[in-house]
């Protein structure tokens, strides 16, 4: 067996054994114990973890690649550093005749001071039971789980063997030195002290606050990265995050909302007319045109509206377009000839205006609805390419 360990064998530990296994990587688990795990790293720097990677060697055997790890014993037993300086082949027993089974591959320390009759560090297969619903057996003491391997019923070297592409479940976990940032692989484990840091597989930097892992930008008031789940709530009102599509969002206390709302826009390219001399929101062949907006903290917004207007019929008159601004059922600004865009021509004329809305209620929702009228019932006041736009002022 190529697996090397320090301070297990009663005799025969070489200077090379000691040099290979002096790892200096002990993530605290509590004041006395450390976390079991594999040292991170890869040959080309592209991967978090390549140590003890397992690949198929044949139908029923696999190759475990080289790596270094620490295996924590019980609280009074200490931690065992181990090193595999060259890859190792392991072979699985043939499958049961009727049922699948799940085998467990572990790094294991046999220390007869506490159990058994030998002192040895090994890569071991803990064979599972063949059952209708198979599961792996518990991880033995002084062991670090590497993989679960599903061995199908009837699997053998001459009968297809293990389906390596789908039959492996990676259980490897990482460690780093005290105070180091842990590159997380496998299950997320609790921290050992407030102020401990880890880097998750989705590139989120987290700090242990004594009870949970908290995304570091949240803890210091920075912008939450978009790698955080979109369903994750904010931790305080006023927190910002990088939302979908790069939109900056702000936590309102109950939901993520655009940090800079707007601009708001609505339009229609359908032409229609009215002969009404009083304000109407719907034209003969066109429903009302409106939009809603949320008032910013400044309580101000720029309102722009317009249309292409034409008067058709006999006689003279004027066509008007205005807007009514409502907050719920309350009128914030009513229709007015003074605020309207106007046309007094049988030819098509495009007209628009920009005006300031002020004394809005910050955070309240407002509705802007276009209204129209003419001064002569004998004239059809036509409106085409009609639009509304509100740009909040920040």
């Amino acid at each position: 067996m190529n697996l090397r360990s320090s301070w297990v064998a009663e005799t025969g530990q070489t200077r090379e054994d000691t040099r290979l296994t002096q790892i200096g990587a002990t993530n605290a688990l509590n004041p006395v114990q450390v976390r079991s795990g594999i040292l991170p790293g890869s040959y080309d720097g592209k991967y978090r973890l390549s140590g003890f990677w397992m690949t198929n060697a044949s139908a029923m055997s696999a190759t475990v690649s080289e790596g270094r790890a620490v295996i924590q014993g019980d609280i009074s037993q200490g931690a065992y550093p181990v090193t595999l300086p060259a890859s190792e082949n392991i072979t699985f027993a043939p499958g049961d005749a009727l049922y699948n089974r799940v085998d467990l591959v572990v790094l294991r320390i046999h220390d007869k001071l506490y159990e058994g009759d030998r002192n040895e560090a090994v890569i071991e297969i803990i064979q599972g039971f063949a059952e209708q619903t198979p599961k792996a057996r518990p991880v033995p003491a002084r062991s670090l789980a590497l993989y679960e391997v599903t061995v199908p019923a009837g699997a053998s070297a001459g009968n297809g063997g293990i389906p390596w592409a789908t039959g492996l479940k990676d259980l490897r976990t990482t460690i780093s030195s005290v105070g180091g940032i842990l590159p997380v692989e496998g299950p997320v484990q609790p921290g050992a002290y407030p102020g401990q840091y880890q880097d998750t597989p989705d590139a989120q930097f987290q700090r242990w606050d004594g009870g949970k892992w908290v995304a570091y930008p949240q803890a210091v008031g920075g912008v939450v990265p978009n790698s955080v789940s979109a369903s994750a709530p904010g931790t305080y009102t006023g927190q910002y995050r990088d939302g979908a599509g790069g939109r900056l969002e702000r936590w309102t206390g109950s939901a993520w909302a655009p940090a800079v709302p707007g601009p708001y826009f609505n339009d229609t390219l359908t032409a229609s007319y009215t002969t009404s001399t009083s304000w109407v929101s719907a034209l003969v062949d066109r429903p009302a045109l409106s939009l809603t907006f949320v008032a910013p903290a400044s309580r101000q917004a720029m309102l722009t509206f317009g249309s292409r207007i034409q008067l058709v019929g006999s006689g003279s008159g004027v066509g008007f377009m205005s807007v009514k601004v409502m907050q719920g059922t309350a009128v914030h600004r009513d229709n007015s000839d003074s605020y309207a865009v106007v046309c007094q021509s049988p030819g098509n004329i495009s007209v628009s205006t920009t005006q300031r809305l002020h004394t809005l209620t910050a955070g309240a929702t407002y509705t802007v609805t276009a209204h129209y009228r003419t001064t002569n019932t004998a004239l059809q006041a036509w409106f085409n390419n009609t639009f509304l736009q509100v740009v909040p002022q920040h």
Side-chain angles (χ1 to χ4, degrees), residues 90-110:
I90 56 175
T91 300
F92 295 82
D96 180 74
L98 297 177
Y99 299 118
N100 296 350
R101 74 168 192 271
V102 177
D103 291 353
L104 185 68
V105 180
V106 300
L107 302 179
R108 186 171 184 179
I109 299 293
H110 291 275

Side-chain angles (χ1 to χ4, degrees), residues 12-355:
Q13 179 173 321
T14 67
R15 287 176 294 173
E16 186 179 70
D17 290 333
T18 306
R19 289 194 302 270
L20 281 171
T21 56
Q22 296 316 293
I23 292 169
T26 53
N27 273 119
L29 183 65
N30 55 48
V32 178
Q33 293 176 293
V34 299
R35 181 183 297 184
S36 296
I38 300 168
L39 271 71
S42 59
Y43 287 110
D44 54 11
K46 292 182 179 179
Y47 306 100
R48 290 174 180 266
L49 182 60
S50 63
F52 301 100
W53 176 260
M54 194 168 78
T55 56
N56 65 301
S58 66
M60 296 299 294
S61 65
T63 299
V64 179
S65 64
E66 59 271 23
R68 297 190 296 167
V70 171
I71 301 171
Q72 173 66 52
D74 288 343
I75 197 164
S76 62
Q77 296 175 3
Y80 300 82
V82 298
T83 298
L84 184 66
S87 60
E88 185 86 18
N89 280 359
I90 56 175
T91 300
F92 295 82
D96 180 74
L98 297 177
Y99 299 118
N100 296 350
R101 74 168 192 271
V102 177
D103 291 353
L104 185 68
V105 180
V106 300
L107 302 179
R108 186 171 184 179
I109 299 293
H110 291 275
D111 189 341
K112 69 179 183 180
L113 182 63
Y114 306 107
E115 180 184 35
D117 57 1
R118 58 179 170 144
N119 292 315
E120 188 179 11
V122 294
I123 299 171
E124 190 165 298
I125 299 172
I126 310 298
Q127 186 170 312
F129 298 108
E131 300 171 316
Q132 286 186 324
T133 307
K135 57 183 179 295
R137 293 168 64 182
V139 179
R142 294 173 300 282
S143 297
L144 176 64
L146 299 180
Y147 286 89
E148 287 183 1
V149 180
T150 299
V151 181
S156 66
N159 191 29
I162 295 170
W164 297 106
T166 58
L168 299 185
K169 181 179 179 181
D170 192 346
L171 303 178
R172 296 173 303 155
T173 57
T174 56
I175 54 170
S176 64
S177 60
V178 172
I181 297 170
L182 179 69
V184 177
E185 286 291 323
V188 175
Q189 301 179 37
Y193 54 88
Q196 185 177 5
Y197 292 94
Q198 67 177 19
D199 183 62
T200 68
D202 58 2
Q204 185 184 78
F205 191 38
Q206 295 180 334
R207 177 183 184 275
W208 182 254
D209 70 356
K212 63 181 182 300
W213 289 108
V214 178
Y216 187 69
Q218 299 179 31
V220 300
V223 177
V224 179
N226 60 16
S227 58
V228 178
S229 171
S231 61
T235 54
Y236 57 87
T237 300
Q239 183 181 12
Y240 291 92
R241 77 169 182 181
D242 182 20
R247 182 178 70 173
L248 185 64
E249 296 177 334
R250 179 180 182 274
W251 181 250
T252 65
S254 60
W256 290 106
V260 183
Y264 303 88
F265 185 86
N266 196 10
D267 70 341
T268 176
L269 302 180
T270 301
S272 192
Y273 69 94
T274 184
T275 57
S276 173
T277 56
S278 58
W279 292 107
V280 294
S281 61
L283 300 176
V284 171
D285 298 314
R286 198 176 78 192
L289 178 70
S290 63
L291 62 77
T292 59
F293 72 95
V294 177
S298 68
R299 304 174 62 202
Q300 300 183 71
M302 300 305 293
L303 167 67
T304 302
F305 61 91
S307 186
R308 190 176 73 181
I309 307 175
Q310 179 184 20
L311 299 175
V312 178
S314 58
S316 61
V318 180
F320 293 86
M321 174 189 172
S322 182
V323 295
K324 179 182 284 189
V325 182
M326 305 283 292
Q327 182 193 348
T329 58
V331 177
H332 179 77
R333 200 184 84 173
D334 208 347
N335 292 301
S336 170
D337 290 354
S338 300
Y339 299 145
V341 294
V342 300
C343 175
Q344 192 176 6
S345 171
N348 285 312
I349 296 179
S350 293
V351 287
S352 65
T353 183
T354 299
Q355 301 163 8

